[in-house]
Amino acid sequence: MEDKIRILLVDDHDMVRMGLKTYLMLEPRFEVIGEAKDGQDVLGMLRNELSESPPDLILMDLMMPIMNGAETTKVVMKEYPQMKIVILTSFLEDNLVVDAIEAGAVSYVLKTVSADELIYALQGAFRGMPVMTGDVSQALTRGIRKRMVEADSSNLTEREKEVLLLIAEGKSNKDIGEELHISIKTVKTHVSNLLMKCELDDRTQLAIYAHRKGLV
């Protein structure tokens, strides 16, 4: 018989932990070896009572007081790089998904998943295999794309970004000047700077650039 997968449950709601523990303990493949209500509790347990026999996997809520799931994951992975962490949450915001995965979580699972899907995600995480539903994968992709766009356009000033967006909308220099309350000469200066920074030849290419980068 295979050894059981030892799990540490982390959620700031007692009833949620109780429900998860009750279900997981019915599964012969799992053993819940501890419970924590926030990230600080997790670190305390790993460094003390669980230091000699740490869990194989941490099933952790995302939005918690003191230390949230992403912050806790980052610290845990730094101190215990072999640890497997699954985030279980109700939140699907793009940036939250990216934060959790970048911090080192193997999988990001919504609390709306079925019991079988959760079991599948836990078993996959134990083997180091990411398991995500389609909506989570899409949120991760969107979040990564947004951060790439932000990084690519980080050398542009806020005014240059405003001008770029208006160019993408097909506005003329005169229209841009009137909307931003600046002179046409100033608009032309911004356009020149945009062409130089983006390494492009004309405003049509600037418009295409803005659309491709998701700025519009």
Side-chain angles (χ1 to χ4, degrees), residues 36-78:
K37 66 179 183 297
D38 56 51
Q40 203 169 70
D41 270 358
V42 172
L43 297 176
M45 293 177 72
L46 291 176
R47 293 164 180 168
N48 294 289
E49 60 260 44
L50 296 180
S51 61
E52 296 298 322
S53 185
D56 300 308
L57 186 151
I58 298 177
L59 179 59
M60 182 157 50
D61 189 19
L62 182 64
M63 306 306 286
M64 301 181 294
I66 304 179
M67 286 183 70
N68 66 36
E71 293 169 338
T72 305
T73 296
K74 188 172 184 178
V75 177
V76 169
M77 295 308 298
K78 183 176 181 180

Side-chain angles (χ1 to χ4, degrees), residues 163 166-167 169-179 184 187 191 203:
V163 172
L166 293 173
I167 289 174
E169 292 175 7
K171 299 290 181 67
S172 67
N173 285 351
K174 180 182 178 182
D175 293 334
I176 294 173
E178 291 176 351
E179 184 156 338
I184 292 181
V187 174
V191 173
R203 60 194 300 125

